Amino acid sequence: MEQDYLDIIWSIIWSILPISELRGGIPYAIANDVNPFLAYFICVGANILAFPIVFLFLEFLHPLFLKVGIYQKLFDKFVLKTRKKLKTKIKKYGFWGLMLFVMIPLPVTGAYTGSLAAWLFNIPKKKAFISVVLGVIISGIIVTIISLSGMEAFNFLIKKV
């Protein structure tokens, strides 16, 4: 029973971390026998927290950190990369482009980069939040289906060996 709670806590942590987000949280939970529906809801909920985390950071801490040279260089490099990657999609598709970007479960896509893009392109917070949340919900569905399919294939292979 105690292990179940630890697996849920780790799933939440993986889902909040910018490097893994849902792509880490949901597969971890499912691989550790957390109910897939519970895994989906707790990981999606945790990943949605990326939006307020990013905006709180950018509004309050970012101006302070900009005074540190190495931070400014790294941030500027990341901003240029993000702007270049998303500029045409955001300008052309707006709300839907941001949602599509967030929903793709690949590295450097997701709630954190989508929230940063919303801030960079001055998308109104309410509109950006809805777009990011929809992207996270759809991404969660995709990752859950892939994780469940992967576990079924893995279990099939183990039974054959």
Side-chain angles (χ1 to χ4, degrees):
M1 189 70 159
E2 187 176 315
Q3 183 61 37
D4 293 342
Y5 292 117
L6 284 174
D7 291 333
I8 291 170
I9 290 168
W10 276 109
S11 301
I12 292 168
I13 291 170
W14 283 118
S15 297
I16 291 176
L17 287 173
I19 197 75
S20 55
E21 298 191 42
L22 293 174
R23 299 173 299 276
I26 291 173
Y28 177 86
I30 291 173
N32 285 288
D33 297 322
V34 174
N35 178 293
F37 290 108
L38 178 62
Y40 171 82
F41 286 108
I42 62 169
C43 293
V44 164
N47 195 218
I48 288 171
L49 292 175
F51 187 87
I53 289 169
V54 168
F55 271 83
L56 285 171
F57 174 82
L58 290 170
E59 290 178 5
F60 297 107
L61 297 176
H62 173 67
L64 298 172
F65 286 144
L66 276 177
K67 296 174 184 171
V68 179
I70 191 161
Y71 172 82
Q72 187 173 12
K73 286 179 185 177
L74 290 172
F75 186 79
D76 288 347
K77 184 179 179 181
F78 187 70
V79 165
L80 289 173
K81 192 176 183 180
T82 302
R83 274 195 177 143
K84 184 179 177 184
K85 185 182 222 179
L86 296 174
K87 187 176 183 179
T88 56
K89 291 176 186 163
I90 299 296
K91 285 195 176 200
K92 186 174 182 179
Y93 302 109
F95 175 91
W96 299 109
L98 182 60
M99 185 200 76
L100 287 169
F101 177 78
V102 172
M103 75 175 238
I104 299 168
L106 293 172
V108 198
T109 65
Y112 280 94
T113 308
S115 299
L116 175 63
W119 180 79
L120 288 173
F121 293 105
N122 295 316
I123 298 173
K125 278 186 196 174
K126 187 176 181 179
K127 189 176 181 180
F129 179 72
I130 293 168
S131 182
V132 168
V133 167
L134 288 173
V136 168
I137 289 169
I138 296 167
S139 181
I141 292 168
I142 294 168
V143 171
T144 301
I145 290 169
I146 291 170
S147 297
L148 288 171
S149 300
M151 288 307 293
E152 287 300 317
F154 180 72
N155 288 335
F156 175 78
L157 289 173
I158 289 176
K159 289 177 184 174
K160 288 291 185 182
V161 173

